[in-house]
Amino acid sequence: MMIKKFINWQSYLFFLCAIVFFSCKNNKKPDVSNINLDIKVERFDHDLYAGKGKDITATHAFLEKKYGAFYDDFIHQMVGNSSYTGVAVLEGLYKDKAYTDLTQEVDSVFPNLNKVDRELTEVFKYIKYYYPKAEIPRFIAFVSGFAYQTPIGDNYLGIGLDMFLGKDSKFYAALVESLPQYLTRKFTPEYIVPRVSEYYVRENLIKEQDQDRSLLSKMIYNGKILYFMEQVLPEATPDTVKIGYTSQQLSWCKTFEPEIWAYFMENNLLYNTDYSKIQVYLSDGPFTPGIGEKRESAPKLGVWIGWQIVKQYMKQHPDVTLKQLMAEKDAQKILSDSRYKPKG
């Protein structure tokens, strides 16, 4: 599919500014000031590195006692495997100059996590407002050597700080084969809270159903996740960060929204359940093959369109609560009742 379109850019920019202005005016978040919550990310990376040059057996015992299930997963899954003891893994890490260099780089970028603490506290106050019974896990920062970004385990959610050093980190440039640029450009500090929040919501609040196999079902599921994130993330969080687009990719989607939707309809994609054929519209990548010119299209177009459908549905039904939206399992109902029909 080749997409071409002429745009009056002055009118377009004015229209976008108007949307931003009025959406800000009408965005009334609930008052969560009475919710008692104060999240502090635990610095496993500091505690581990503090043991260098000291008695390793004592350090192992200290980390095992303090971090429990997380420490066991760190030793046996993240940096080692079941054949290694905790002491053996610690010995290896302390002797590894590359791990030492990486840990020092992490500490220089993140001498503290005060901003992350504040933002996570705000996010989870909203989550507790909508889901009072939601259990808040321990948040544990660590360094795994680019193996894990946000692992979720028994009562913990990990934050792999080495996966948020900034897109220009010298370490990412050296790992270009295993970590392509379209991924590493999102390995920046501003992505920590959105990604942690997203994975928590996906794993703990709104799990995808096994029967949701059609492209439409997956579009709506992902659209609901993004809509939920809009309601709980700090207001200054850009849409580009929520979905992981560049500003150019987001602009491309807004410009060609009618053509993207027409492409899905014309190719009978909405009810296709063959994942090998629909995953290209759901997965991350540098662009979407087969759509647009010169590889300028955005990736995961199904996710983005799903987000627009859900937003339109909630606009059409202001009486529907966020929790009711999340509980609605009928993707076709959301599409039909949204009256979604982007205009060119």
Side-chain angles (χ1 to χ4, degrees), residues 24 53 84 87 107 114 129 134 144 156 164 176 215 218 223-224 253 263 269 285 306 323 329 339:
C24 289
Y84 290 94
V87 170
D107 204 43
N114 296 340
Y129 174 86
S144 67
Y156 76 78
F164 296 101
V176 66
L215 177 60
K218 294 182 180 299
K224 290 196 295 184
C253 283
Y263 180 83
L269 292 171
K323 199 167 182 178
K329 294 181 171 59
R339 302 175 189 172

Side-chain angles (χ1 to χ4, degrees), residues 46 71 170 192 201 214 227 245 257 268 296 300 325:
H46 282 178
Y71 181 66
K170 61 184 179 182
I192 291 178
V201 172
S214 70
Y227 186 85
Y245 280 171
E257 184 177 355
N268 299 314
E296 293 176 346
K300 49 186 179 182
L325 169 68

Side-chain angles (χ1 to χ4, degrees), residues 109-336:
V109 176
F110 300 106
N112 64 70
L113 293 173
N114 296 340
K115 185 173 183 289
V116 174
D117 291 341
R118 290 193 302 270
E119 291 186 355
L120 281 178
T121 297
E122 179 183 348
V123 166
F124 279 85
K125 279 187 176 183
Y126 285 117
I127 288 176
K128 291 290 284 185
Y129 174 86
Y130 293 113
Y131 292 85
K133 294 182 179 180
E135 295 184 2
I136 309 302
R138 296 173 70 181
F139 295 91
I140 302 174
F142 66 100
V143 176
S144 67
F146 316 110
Y148 289 84
Q149 188 177 51
T150 52
I152 294 178
D154 185 11
N155 195 37
Y156 76 78
L157 200 161
I159 303 174
L161 294 179
D162 49 329
M163 304 286 274
F164 296 101
L165 292 175
K167 63 183 180 62
D168 297 322
S169 170
K170 61 184 179 182
F171 292 98
Y172 302 149
L175 297 168
V176 66
E177 291 297 325
S178 55
L179 295 173
Q181 193 272 336
Y182 75 84
L183 290 179
T184 58
R185 69 169 182 77
K186 293 177 283 191
F187 289 177
T188 64
E190 67 176 340
Y191 273 90
I192 291 178
V193 173
R195 290 292 74 80
V196 167
S197 305
E198 177 186 354
Y199 292 135
Y200 174 85
V201 172
R202 287 184 184 276
E203 292 297 319
N204 294 277
L205 299 182
I206 318 159
K207 287 196 174 185
E208 188 171 18
Q209 303 299 303
D210 291 338
Q211 63 268 26
D212 293 343
R213 296 181 179 179
S214 70
L215 177 60
L216 176 62
S217 294
K218 294 182 180 299
M219 287 167 62
I220 298 301
Y221 170 74
N222 285 285
K224 290 196 295 184
I225 295 291
L226 284 164
Y227 186 85
F228 188 94
M229 290 171 64
E230 282 188 279
Q231 313 312 307
V232 301
L233 287 174
E235 292 183 9
T237 307
D239 283 352
T240 50
V241 173
K242 293 183 189 114
I243 194 170
Y245 280 171
T246 64
S247 57
Q248 291 82 4
Q249 288 172 337
L250 183 60
S251 177
W252 188 93
C253 283
K254 290 179 177 179
T255 301
F256 297 115
E257 184 177 355
E259 286 85 352
I260 299 168
W261 180 242
Y263 180 83
F264 285 171
M265 299 294 284
E266 291 166 3
N267 289 276
N268 299 314
L269 292 171
L270 293 187
Y271 306 102
N272 194 319
T273 57
D274 185 343
Y275 191 73
S276 65
K277 294 181 180 178
I278 65 176
Q279 59 86 24
V280 69
Y281 308 110
L282 303 166
S283 303
D284 202 0
F287 60 94
T288 297
I291 297 182
E293 295 181 316
K294 300 177 181 178
R295 299 186 172 185
E296 293 176 346
S297 60
K300 49 186 179 182
L301 295 178
V303 175
W304 189 80
I305 291 291
W307 189 13
Q308 309 318 302
I309 293 172
V310 171
K311 287 197 286 188
Q312 180 66 17
Y313 172 79
M314 292 302 282
K315 182 179 179 181
Q316 293 286 342
H317 302 277
D319 55 320
V320 173
T321 67
L322 182 62
K323 199 167 182 178
Q324 288 171 335
L325 169 68
M326 296 301 114
E328 179 57 70
K329 294 181 171 59
D330 190 339
Q332 182 62 55
K333 179 180 185 298
I334 291 178
L335 173 60
S336 299

